[in-house]
Amino acid sequence: MSGMYLNIEEIRKDFPILKQEVYGKPLVYLDNAATTQKPLPVIRKIEEVYSTINANIHRGVHRLSQLATESHEEARKTVQEYINAASSNEIIFTRGATESINLIASSFCKSQCRPGDEIILTTMEHHANIVPWQLQEDNTGIKIQVVPVTEKGEIHLEDIEELISSKTRLISLTHISNVLGTINPVSDVIKLAHNYNIPVLLDAAQSVQHIPIDVQSLNCDFLAFSSHKMYGPTGIGILYGKEQWLEKLPPYQGGGEMIAHVSFQKTTFNELPFKFEAGTPDYVGSTALAEAIHYINNIGLSSINQYEKHLLDYATRKLSLIDGMQIIGTSEHKSSVISFLVGGIHPYDMGMLLDRLGIAVRTGHHCAQPLMEVFGIEGTLRASFAFYNTEEEIDILVAGIEKVAKMLS
Ligand code: PMP
Protein backbone atom coordinates (compact mmCIF):
# COMPACT_ATOMS: atom_id res chain seq x y z
CA MET A 1 0.00 0.00 0.00
CA SER A 2 1.62 3.22 -1.11
CA GLY A 3 -0.76 5.63 0.59
CA MET A 4 1.26 7.15 3.43
CA TYR A 5 -1.63 9.28 4.51
CA LEU A 6 -4.76 7.62 3.11
CA ASN A 7 -6.04 4.09 2.89
CA ILE A 8 -5.76 3.92 -0.88
CA GLU A 9 -6.68 0.25 -1.10
CA GLU A 10 -10.03 0.96 0.55
CA ILE A 11 -10.55 4.14 -1.48
CA ARG A 12 -9.94 2.30 -4.75
CA LYS A 13 -12.79 -0.10 -3.94
CA ASP A 14 -15.14 2.88 -4.34
CA PHE A 15 -14.10 3.36 -7.99
CA PRO A 16 -15.38 0.40 -10.02
CA ILE A 17 -13.69 1.52 -13.23
CA LEU A 18 -10.24 1.18 -11.66
CA LYS A 19 -10.71 -2.59 -11.39
CA GLN A 20 -10.83 -2.90 -15.16
CA GLU A 21 -8.26 -4.37 -17.47
CA VAL A 22 -7.42 -2.88 -20.85
CA TYR A 23 -5.73 -5.10 -23.42
CA GLY A 24 -5.43 -7.70 -20.68
CA LYS A 25 -3.44 -5.36 -18.43
CA PRO A 26 -4.66 -3.71 -15.24
CA LEU A 27 -5.82 -0.18 -16.01
CA VAL A 28 -3.39 2.49 -14.83
CA TYR A 29 -5.43 5.65 -15.09
CA LEU A 30 -3.18 8.72 -15.11
CA ASP A 31 -5.36 11.15 -17.04
CA ASN A 32 -7.06 12.79 -14.10
CA ALA A 33 -6.46 16.36 -15.26
CA ALA A 34 -8.70 15.56 -18.25
CA THR A 35 -11.39 13.96 -16.15
CA THR A 36 -11.56 12.04 -12.88
CA GLN A 37 -13.23 8.71 -12.24
CA LYS A 38 -16.44 8.54 -10.21
CA PRO A 39 -16.89 6.88 -6.84
CA LEU A 40 -19.86 4.59 -6.22
CA PRO A 41 -21.77 7.10 -4.05
CA VAL A 42 -21.83 9.52 -7.02
CA ILE A 43 -22.84 6.82 -9.49
CA ARG A 44 -25.53 5.56 -7.11
CA LYS A 45 -26.83 9.07 -6.46
CA ILE A 46 -27.57 9.55 -10.17
CA GLU A 47 -29.55 6.29 -10.18
CA GLU A 48 -31.30 7.26 -6.95
CA VAL A 49 -32.47 10.65 -8.25
CA TYR A 50 -33.86 9.15 -11.47
CA SER A 51 -35.40 6.26 -9.54
CA THR A 52 -37.05 8.24 -6.76
CA ILE A 53 -37.51 12.00 -7.17
CA ASN A 54 -37.10 12.86 -10.85
CA ALA A 55 -39.32 15.83 -11.78
CA ASN A 56 -38.67 19.24 -13.28
CA ILE A 57 -37.77 21.64 -10.52
CA HIS A 58 -38.81 25.08 -9.21
CA ARG A 59 -42.18 25.43 -10.97
CA GLY A 60 -43.85 22.31 -9.66
CA VAL A 61 -46.35 22.17 -6.83
CA HIS A 62 -46.31 18.39 -6.69
CA ARG A 63 -44.26 16.35 -4.24
CA LEU A 64 -41.60 15.01 -6.61
CA SER A 65 -40.92 18.46 -7.98
CA GLN A 66 -40.54 19.80 -4.46
CA LEU A 67 -38.10 17.05 -3.54
CA ALA A 68 -36.04 17.52 -6.70
CA THR A 69 -35.98 21.29 -6.09
CA GLU A 70 -34.83 20.80 -2.52
CA SER A 71 -32.11 18.45 -3.67
CA HIS A 72 -30.86 20.95 -6.29
CA GLU A 73 -30.89 23.89 -3.88
CA GLU A 74 -29.25 21.81 -1.16
CA ALA A 75 -26.50 21.02 -3.69
CA ARG A 76 -26.01 24.74 -4.29
CA LYS A 77 -25.44 25.16 -0.55
CA THR A 78 -22.96 22.28 -0.53
CA VAL A 79 -20.97 24.00 -3.28
CA GLN A 80 -21.23 27.31 -1.44
CA GLU A 81 -19.76 25.73 1.70
CA TYR A 82 -17.06 23.90 -0.25
CA ILE A 83 -15.57 27.16 -1.55
CA ASN A 84 -16.81 29.24 1.41
CA ALA A 85 -18.88 31.66 -0.66
CA ALA A 86 -20.74 34.27 1.37
CA SER A 87 -24.13 33.39 -0.12
CA SER A 88 -25.71 30.65 -2.23
CA ASN A 89 -26.83 33.47 -4.57
CA GLU A 90 -23.20 33.57 -5.67
CA ILE A 91 -23.25 29.98 -6.94
CA ILE A 92 -24.40 29.66 -10.56
CA PHE A 93 -24.82 26.22 -12.10
CA THR A 94 -23.38 26.06 -15.61
CA ARG A 95 -22.35 23.26 -17.96
CA GLY A 96 -18.75 23.48 -16.81
CA ALA A 97 -15.71 25.72 -16.46
CA THR A 98 -15.88 26.55 -20.16
CA GLU A 99 -19.43 27.85 -19.96
CA SER A 100 -18.67 29.71 -16.73
CA ILE A 101 -15.83 31.61 -18.41
CA ASN A 102 -17.91 32.24 -21.54
CA LEU A 103 -20.67 33.64 -19.33
CA ILE A 104 -18.36 36.16 -17.68
CA ALA A 105 -16.55 37.04 -20.92
CA SER A 106 -19.87 37.76 -22.59
CA SER A 107 -21.75 39.53 -19.78
CA PHE A 108 -18.72 41.40 -18.41
CA CYS A 109 -17.42 42.69 -21.74
CA LYS A 110 -20.90 43.68 -22.93
CA SER A 111 -21.68 45.69 -19.80
CA GLN A 112 -18.32 46.82 -18.40
CA CYS A 113 -16.04 47.34 -21.42
CA ARG A 114 -15.73 49.83 -24.21
CA PRO A 115 -13.79 49.29 -27.43
CA GLY A 116 -10.06 49.44 -26.65
CA ASP A 117 -10.47 48.28 -23.03
CA GLU A 118 -8.14 45.50 -22.03
CA ILE A 119 -8.39 42.06 -20.43
CA ILE A 120 -5.19 40.47 -19.09
CA LEU A 121 -4.66 36.69 -19.55
CA THR A 122 -1.53 34.58 -19.15
CA THR A 123 0.29 32.48 -21.74
CA MET A 124 -0.47 29.31 -19.78
CA GLU A 125 -4.26 29.56 -20.14
CA HIS A 126 -6.39 26.68 -21.37
CA HIS A 127 -8.17 27.55 -24.63
CA ALA A 128 -11.33 27.85 -22.49
CA ASN A 129 -9.81 30.98 -20.96
CA ILE A 130 -8.54 32.40 -24.25
CA VAL A 131 -11.10 31.89 -26.97
CA PRO A 132 -14.14 33.35 -25.09
CA TRP A 133 -12.16 36.60 -24.76
CA GLN A 134 -11.12 36.47 -28.41
CA LEU A 135 -14.80 36.23 -29.34
CA GLN A 136 -15.29 39.41 -27.32
CA GLU A 137 -12.50 41.11 -29.25
CA ASP A 138 -14.82 40.77 -32.23
CA ASN A 139 -18.07 41.44 -30.36
CA THR A 140 -17.16 44.32 -28.09
CA GLY A 141 -13.78 45.57 -29.33
CA ILE A 142 -11.78 44.64 -26.21
CA LYS A 143 -8.06 43.85 -26.51
CA ILE A 144 -6.25 40.94 -24.87
CA GLN A 145 -2.92 41.46 -23.10
CA VAL A 146 -0.86 38.37 -22.33
CA VAL A 147 1.43 37.77 -19.35
CA PRO A 148 4.57 35.83 -20.35
CA VAL A 149 5.55 32.50 -18.81
CA THR A 150 9.13 31.78 -17.67
CA GLU A 151 11.19 28.73 -18.65
CA LYS A 152 10.22 27.05 -15.37
CA GLY A 153 6.59 27.62 -16.23
CA GLU A 154 5.83 30.47 -13.86
CA ILE A 155 4.34 33.93 -14.08
CA HIS A 156 5.81 36.97 -12.35
CA LEU A 157 3.80 39.66 -10.62
CA GLU A 158 6.03 42.39 -12.11
CA ASP A 159 5.04 41.24 -15.60
CA ILE A 160 1.37 41.50 -14.69
CA GLU A 161 1.85 44.92 -13.15
CA GLU A 162 3.63 46.09 -16.27
CA LEU A 163 0.59 45.18 -18.38
CA ILE A 164 -1.91 46.93 -16.09
CA SER A 165 -3.07 50.27 -17.48
CA SER A 166 -6.02 52.61 -17.14
CA LYS A 167 -7.67 50.46 -19.83
CA THR A 168 -7.45 47.18 -17.90
CA ARG A 169 -10.91 45.96 -16.96
CA LEU A 170 -10.29 42.40 -15.74
CA ILE A 171 -7.55 39.83 -15.15
CA SER A 172 -8.48 36.23 -15.90
CA LEU A 173 -6.00 33.48 -15.08
CA THR A 174 -5.73 29.86 -14.23
CA HIS A 175 -5.15 28.88 -10.62
CA ILE A 176 -3.24 25.75 -11.66
CA SER A 177 -1.93 25.06 -15.15
CA ASN A 178 -3.35 21.91 -16.72
CA VAL A 179 -0.07 21.44 -18.61
CA LEU A 180 2.71 22.63 -16.30
CA GLY A 181 1.04 21.89 -12.98
CA THR A 182 2.19 25.31 -11.78
CA ILE A 183 0.20 26.67 -8.86
CA ASN A 184 0.00 30.37 -9.62
CA PRO A 185 0.37 32.96 -6.84
CA VAL A 186 -3.26 33.93 -7.27
CA SER A 187 -3.66 35.53 -3.88
CA ASP A 188 -0.86 38.00 -4.73
CA VAL A 189 -2.31 38.56 -8.20
CA ILE A 190 -5.71 39.38 -6.69
CA LYS A 191 -4.18 41.81 -4.17
CA LEU A 192 -2.22 43.49 -6.94
CA ALA A 193 -5.29 43.73 -9.20
CA HIS A 194 -7.46 45.11 -6.42
CA ASN A 195 -4.89 47.85 -5.75
CA TYR A 196 -5.89 49.05 -9.21
CA ASN A 197 -9.60 48.26 -8.70
CA ILE A 198 -9.44 45.49 -11.26
CA PRO A 199 -11.54 42.35 -10.69
CA VAL A 200 -10.05 38.86 -11.11
CA LEU A 201 -11.55 35.69 -12.56
CA LEU A 202 -9.86 32.47 -11.48
CA ASP A 203 -10.05 29.37 -13.63
CA ALA A 204 -10.14 26.75 -10.88
CA ALA A 205 -10.75 23.76 -13.18
CA GLN A 206 -7.45 22.21 -12.03
CA SER A 207 -7.37 23.40 -8.43
CA VAL A 208 -10.74 22.92 -6.79
CA GLN A 209 -10.20 19.14 -6.53
CA HIS A 210 -6.66 19.43 -5.14
CA ILE A 211 -6.40 22.35 -2.75
CA PRO A 212 -8.85 23.98 -0.36
CA ILE A 213 -10.30 27.17 -1.85
CA ASP A 214 -11.86 29.90 0.23
CA VAL A 215 -13.22 32.53 -2.13
CA GLN A 216 -13.72 35.01 0.69
CA SER A 217 -10.16 34.89 1.95
CA LEU A 218 -8.78 34.70 -1.62
CA ASN A 219 -11.09 37.61 -2.41
CA CYS A 220 -11.41 36.61 -6.08
CA ASP A 221 -14.31 38.21 -7.94
CA PHE A 222 -15.19 35.20 -10.09
CA LEU A 223 -14.23 31.52 -10.02
CA ALA A 224 -14.98 28.81 -12.58
CA PHE A 225 -14.76 25.02 -12.33
CA SER A 226 -16.19 21.74 -13.64
CA SER A 227 -17.80 18.90 -11.73
CA HIS A 228 -16.26 16.13 -13.85
CA LYS A 229 -12.72 16.98 -12.78
CA MET A 230 -13.70 16.67 -9.11
CA TYR A 231 -15.20 13.16 -9.14
CA GLY A 232 -18.66 14.44 -10.03
CA PRO A 233 -20.73 13.90 -13.19
CA THR A 234 -20.02 15.46 -16.57
CA GLY A 235 -22.06 18.29 -18.02
CA ILE A 236 -22.29 20.48 -14.94
CA GLY A 237 -20.01 23.10 -13.43
CA ILE A 238 -19.95 26.21 -11.34
CA LEU A 239 -19.51 29.91 -11.73
CA TYR A 240 -18.91 31.71 -8.49
CA GLY A 241 -19.25 35.48 -8.59
CA LYS A 242 -19.34 38.10 -5.86
CA GLU A 243 -22.96 39.09 -5.43
CA GLN A 244 -22.33 42.77 -6.18
CA TRP A 245 -20.71 41.77 -9.48
CA LEU A 246 -23.39 39.28 -10.48
CA GLU A 247 -26.08 41.87 -9.69
CA LYS A 248 -24.38 44.27 -12.08
CA LEU A 249 -23.95 41.88 -15.01
CA PRO A 250 -26.68 41.23 -17.60
CA PRO A 251 -28.10 37.73 -18.24
CA TYR A 252 -26.07 35.47 -20.50
CA GLN A 253 -28.87 33.39 -22.00
CA GLY A 254 -32.61 33.87 -22.12
CA GLY A 255 -35.37 31.35 -21.46
CA GLY A 256 -37.43 29.83 -18.71
CA GLU A 257 -36.33 30.15 -15.07
CA MET A 258 -34.27 33.32 -15.58
CA ILE A 259 -37.27 35.66 -15.87
CA ALA A 260 -39.49 37.46 -13.36
CA HIS A 261 -42.16 38.41 -15.91
CA VAL A 262 -42.33 38.14 -19.70
CA SER A 263 -44.34 40.30 -22.04
CA PHE A 264 -43.69 41.43 -25.57
CA GLN A 265 -43.45 44.99 -24.25
CA LYS A 266 -40.95 44.37 -21.48
CA THR A 267 -39.42 41.33 -19.83
CA THR A 268 -37.93 41.51 -16.34
CA PHE A 269 -35.35 39.10 -15.01
CA ASN A 270 -35.33 36.79 -12.04
CA GLU A 271 -33.11 37.42 -9.04
CA LEU A 272 -29.78 35.73 -8.38
CA PRO A 273 -28.76 33.04 -8.93
CA PHE A 274 -31.60 32.22 -11.36
CA LYS A 275 -30.91 35.23 -13.59
CA PHE A 276 -27.99 33.26 -15.04
CA GLU A 277 -29.68 29.86 -15.21
CA ALA A 278 -31.94 29.81 -18.26
CA GLY A 279 -33.80 26.58 -18.96
CA THR A 280 -34.21 23.37 -16.99
CA PRO A 281 -31.12 23.00 -14.82
CA ASP A 282 -29.22 19.75 -14.38
CA TYR A 283 -30.71 18.93 -10.99
CA VAL A 284 -29.50 15.33 -11.26
CA GLY A 285 -25.97 16.55 -11.98
CA SER A 286 -26.05 19.09 -9.15
CA THR A 287 -27.21 16.45 -6.67
CA ALA A 288 -24.47 14.06 -7.79
CA LEU A 289 -21.87 16.87 -7.67
CA ALA A 290 -22.87 17.51 -4.07
CA GLU A 291 -22.33 13.81 -3.41
CA ALA A 292 -18.82 14.10 -4.93
CA ILE A 293 -18.11 17.03 -2.62
CA HIS A 294 -19.27 15.01 0.39
CA TYR A 295 -16.97 12.22 -0.79
CA ILE A 296 -13.99 14.61 -1.01
CA ASN A 297 -14.85 16.13 2.36
CA ASN A 298 -15.04 12.69 3.98
CA ILE A 299 -11.49 11.93 2.89
CA GLY A 300 -10.39 15.49 3.62
CA LEU A 301 -8.95 17.89 1.07
CA SER A 302 -5.81 18.54 3.06
CA SER A 303 -5.07 14.79 3.31
CA ILE A 304 -5.75 14.51 -0.42
CA ASN A 305 -3.40 17.40 -1.08
CA GLN A 306 -0.66 15.93 1.08
CA TYR A 307 -0.88 12.52 -0.55
CA GLU A 308 -1.02 13.90 -4.10
CA LYS A 309 2.04 16.02 -3.35
CA HIS A 310 3.79 12.85 -2.26
CA LEU A 311 2.79 11.18 -5.56
CA LEU A 312 4.06 14.20 -7.50
CA ASP A 313 7.43 14.12 -5.73
CA TYR A 314 7.73 10.37 -6.17
CA ALA A 315 6.84 10.52 -9.87
CA THR A 316 9.12 13.48 -10.54
CA ARG A 317 12.03 11.66 -8.90
CA LYS A 318 11.40 8.39 -10.78
CA LEU A 319 10.68 9.96 -14.17
CA SER A 320 13.79 12.16 -13.94
CA LEU A 321 15.95 9.01 -13.88
CA ILE A 322 14.76 7.98 -17.37
CA ASP A 323 17.23 8.58 -20.21
CA GLY A 324 16.25 11.58 -22.34
CA MET A 325 13.49 12.68 -19.95
CA GLN A 326 12.49 16.32 -20.28
CA ILE A 327 9.91 17.57 -17.80
CA ILE A 328 8.05 20.66 -18.96
CA GLY A 329 7.03 22.78 -16.00
CA THR A 330 9.56 22.78 -13.18
CA SER A 331 8.11 25.28 -10.74
CA GLU A 332 8.59 24.53 -7.04
CA HIS A 333 4.89 25.17 -6.61
CA LYS A 334 3.23 22.36 -8.51
CA SER A 335 0.10 20.28 -8.42
CA SER A 336 0.05 16.58 -9.38
CA VAL A 337 0.45 17.10 -13.12
CA ILE A 338 3.63 16.21 -15.03
CA SER A 339 4.12 17.04 -18.69
CA PHE A 340 7.10 15.43 -20.34
CA LEU A 341 8.90 14.39 -23.51
CA VAL A 342 11.32 11.50 -23.90
CA GLY A 343 14.26 11.87 -26.31
CA GLY A 344 13.03 12.64 -29.78
CA ILE A 345 10.01 10.34 -29.47
CA HIS A 346 6.73 11.78 -30.66
CA PRO A 347 4.32 11.99 -27.69
CA TYR A 348 1.55 10.40 -29.72
CA ASP A 349 3.66 7.30 -30.50
CA MET A 350 4.67 6.96 -26.86
CA GLY A 351 1.09 7.51 -25.68
CA MET A 352 -0.30 4.89 -28.06
CA LEU A 353 2.17 2.24 -26.95
CA LEU A 354 1.67 3.07 -23.28
CA ASP A 355 -2.06 2.56 -23.88
CA ARG A 356 -1.29 -0.97 -25.08
CA LEU A 357 0.31 -1.55 -21.68
CA GLY A 358 -2.88 -0.42 -19.98
CA ILE A 359 -1.50 3.01 -19.08
CA ALA A 360 -3.78 5.97 -19.79
CA VAL A 361 -1.87 9.24 -20.19
CA ARG A 362 -2.81 12.22 -22.33
CA THR A 363 -0.84 13.35 -25.36
CA GLY A 364 -1.05 16.50 -27.42
CA HIS A 365 -1.27 20.23 -26.84
CA HIS A 366 -3.72 19.92 -23.91
CA CYS A 367 -5.80 22.82 -25.25
CA ALA A 368 -2.90 25.18 -24.58
CA GLN A 369 -1.37 25.84 -27.99
CA PRO A 370 0.03 29.30 -27.14
CA LEU A 371 1.96 27.69 -24.27
CA MET A 372 3.28 24.97 -26.58
CA GLU A 373 4.49 27.68 -28.91
CA VAL A 374 6.48 29.34 -26.09
CA PHE A 375 8.21 26.04 -25.34
CA GLY A 376 8.74 25.44 -29.07
CA ILE A 377 6.95 22.09 -29.03
CA GLU A 378 3.79 20.68 -30.56
CA GLY A 379 2.71 18.69 -27.57
CA THR A 380 3.73 16.60 -24.60
CA LEU A 381 2.77 13.48 -22.73
CA ARG A 382 0.99 14.27 -19.51
CA ALA A 383 0.53 12.11 -16.44
CA SER A 384 -1.84 13.55 -13.86
CA PHE A 385 -2.55 11.96 -10.50
CA ALA A 386 -5.56 11.69 -8.24
CA PHE A 387 -5.77 10.43 -4.65
CA TYR A 388 -6.64 6.92 -5.86
CA ASN A 389 -3.33 6.56 -7.71
CA THR A 390 -0.42 4.69 -6.17
CA GLU A 391 3.37 4.53 -6.22
CA GLU A 392 3.01 1.11 -7.86
CA GLU A 393 1.14 2.73 -10.76
CA ILE A 394 3.91 5.29 -11.14
CA ASP A 395 6.43 2.42 -11.21
CA ILE A 396 4.37 0.80 -13.99
CA LEU A 397 4.38 4.10 -15.89
CA VAL A 398 8.17 4.44 -15.54
CA ALA A 399 8.76 0.83 -16.64
CA GLY A 400 6.34 1.37 -19.54
CA ILE A 401 8.12 4.51 -20.72
CA GLU A 402 11.48 2.73 -20.57
CA LYS A 403 10.12 -0.23 -22.51
CA VAL A 404 8.50 1.95 -25.18
CA ALA A 405 11.59 4.18 -25.46
CA LYS A 406 13.73 1.09 -26.12
CA MET A 407 11.28 -0.14 -28.76
CA LEU A 408 11.20 3.20 -30.58
CA SER A 409 14.89 4.07 -30.45
N1 PMP B 1 -9.50 25.33 -17.69
C1 PMP B 1 -8.57 24.42 -17.42
C2 PMP B 1 -7.30 24.82 -16.73
C3 PMP B 1 -8.79 23.09 -17.79
O1 PMP B 1 -7.85 22.16 -17.54
C4 PMP B 1 -10.00 22.74 -18.44
C5 PMP B 1 -10.28 21.32 -18.87
N2 PMP B 1 -9.23 20.65 -19.45
C6 PMP B 1 -10.92 23.74 -18.67
C7 PMP B 1 -10.65 25.03 -18.29
C8 PMP B 1 -12.22 23.45 -19.35
O2 PMP B 1 -13.00 22.60 -18.58
P1 PMP B 1 -14.34 21.95 -19.20
O3 PMP B 1 -13.93 21.33 -20.49
O4 PMP B 1 -14.75 20.96 -18.17
O5 PMP B 1 -15.31 23.06 -19.36
Side-chain angles (χ1 to χ4, degrees):
M1 210 271 292
S2 67
M4 286 160 55
Y5 314 100
L6 301 172
N7 190 345
I8 307 302
E9 253 168 65
E10 278 306 305
I11 285 174
R12 285 178 74 88
K13 288 183 190 158
D14 288 337
F15 292 83
I17 205 168
L18 299 178
K19 296 187 196 96
Q20 282 200 94
E21 294 197 339
V22 286
Y23 308 115
K25 306 269 187 333
L27 169 67
V28 174
Y29 185 78
L30 302 176
D31 194 17
N32 295 287
T35 200
T36 51
Q37 300 303 346
K38 318 304 170 198
L40 279 171
V42 169
I43 298 168
R44 288 187 182 131
K45 186 54 80 174
I46 295 167
E47 188 179 356
E48 185 190 314
V49 175
Y50 279 127
S51 308
T52 57
I53 59 168
N54 180 53
N56 206 335
I57 63 169
H58 289 146
R59 287 159 303 228
V61 290
H62 62 80
R63 183 75 186 132
L64 288 191
S65 178
Q66 284 167 13
L67 289 173
T69 305
E70 274 167 27
S71 180
H72 184 64
E73 291 308 323
E74 200 50 50
R76 198 189 302 277
K77 290 207 185 89
T78 302
V79 175
Q80 177 202 342
E81 279 162 24
Y82 186 68
I83 59 169
N84 195 32
S87 157
S88 61
N89 287 347
E90 300 181 320
I91 305 298
I92 312 292
F93 285 114
T94 62
R95 282 198 307 116
T98 301
E99 189 176 52
S100 300
I101 298 170
N102 272 277
L103 190 163
I104 292 303
S106 167
S107 292
F108 186 91
C109 291
K110 200 191 292 174
S111 63
Q112 309 296 315
C113 298
R114 281 185 298 191
D117 282 351
E118 292 172 355
I119 305 290
I120 296 179
L121 310 176
T122 83
T123 312
M124 68 170 84
E125 297 313 312
H126 187 281
H127 294 165
N129 195 26
I130 298 175
V131 185
W133 304 103
Q134 288 179 324
L135 294 177
Q136 293 309 318
E137 285 189 308
D138 293 338
N139 288 344
T140 57
I142 56 126
K143 299 263 174 293
I144 295 171
Q145 297 286 354
V146 189
V147 181
V149 168
T150 66
E151 232 168 83
K152 277 177 132 184
E154 295 176 333
I155 50 168
H156 287 162
L157 282 191
E158 309 84 78
D159 292 327
I160 300 180
E161 190 154 23
E162 203 156 290
L163 289 177
I164 291 176
S165 77
S166 59
K167 291 183 177 167
T168 310
R169 290 289 157 266
L170 182 123
I171 298 175
S172 185
L173 81 162
T174 195
H175 192 176
I176 292 180
S177 162
N178 66 313
V179 179
L180 307 162
T182 312
I183 305 172
N184 283 323
V186 290
S187 185
D188 294 336
V189 174
I190 292 163
K191 281 187 199 124
L192 170 72
H194 287 177
N195 285 343
Y196 293 89
N197 271 327
I198 298 165
V200 176
L201 186 162
L202 285 188
D203 174 354
Q206 296 292 346
S207 60
V208 76
Q209 65 282 49
H210 296 300
I211 49 181
I213 289 183
D214 179 330
V215 287
Q216 292 188 73
S217 71
L218 261 181
N219 205 13
C220 58
D221 300 275
F222 305 104
L223 184 97
F225 57 93
S226 295
S227 152
H228 71 95
K229 291 184 199 281
M230 55 185 303
Y231 314 100
T234 54
I236 185 160
I238 300 295
L239 169 68
Y240 158 82
K242 279 185 184 163
E243 195 156 354
Q244 65 266 35
W245 269 118
L246 294 179
E247 287 290 0
K248 251 192 256 184
L249 301 184
Y252 171 57
Q253 290 179 332
E257 289 288 333
M258 53 74 73
I259 51 87
H261 177 78
V262 175
S263 78
F264 282 104
Q265 286 69 44
K266 182 167 171 61
T267 287
T268 51
F269 304 125
N270 205 340
E271 54 200 24
L272 288 175
F274 312 111
K275 181 173 91 173
F276 291 107
E277 295 181 347
T280 300
D282 186 358
Y283 49 88
V284 182
S286 63
T287 305
L289 166 60
E291 198 60 31
I293 291 175
H294 296 319
Y295 188 88
I296 292 171
N297 286 339
N298 280 340
I299 298 176
L301 205 44
S302 42
S303 304
I304 288 174
N305 185 248
Q306 213 176 5
Y307 177 61
E308 288 176 344
K309 175 129 190 44
H310 164 74
L311 285 182
L312 172 74
D313 292 344
Y314 184 81
T316 306
R317 217 163 354 107
K318 292 282 174 156
L319 287 170
S320 300
L321 298 175
I322 296 174
D323 249 8
M325 172 61 59
Q326 183 196 354
I327 291 178
I328 291 129
T330 51
S331 170
E332 279 92 61
H333 309 287
K334 271 185 76 166
S335 164
S336 52
V337 172
I338 306 184
S339 274
F340 60 93
L341 290 167
V342 187
I345 299 170
H346 197 284
Y348 185 71
D349 294 338
M350 170 77 75
M352 250 179 26
L353 291 169
L354 287 175
D355 173 51
R356 287 276 152 183
L357 301 173
I359 304 165
V361 292
R362 189 138 294 243
T363 63
H365 55 60
H366 316 296
C367 295
Q369 283 182 320
L371 183 65
M372 295 296 129
E373 213 177 300
V374 167
F375 282 93
I377 52 182
E378 271 179 40
T380 71
L381 288 126
R382 182 186 71 187
S384 49
F385 312 109
F387 57 73
Y388 43 61
N389 289 127
T390 63
E391 283 179 10
E392 288 75 14
E393 288 181 307
I394 291 168
D395 292 340
I396 294 171
L397 169 70
V398 170
I401 293 171
E402 282 171 336
K403 185 172 178 187
V404 171
K406 215 176 264 171
M407 278 168 67
L408 292 175
S409 61

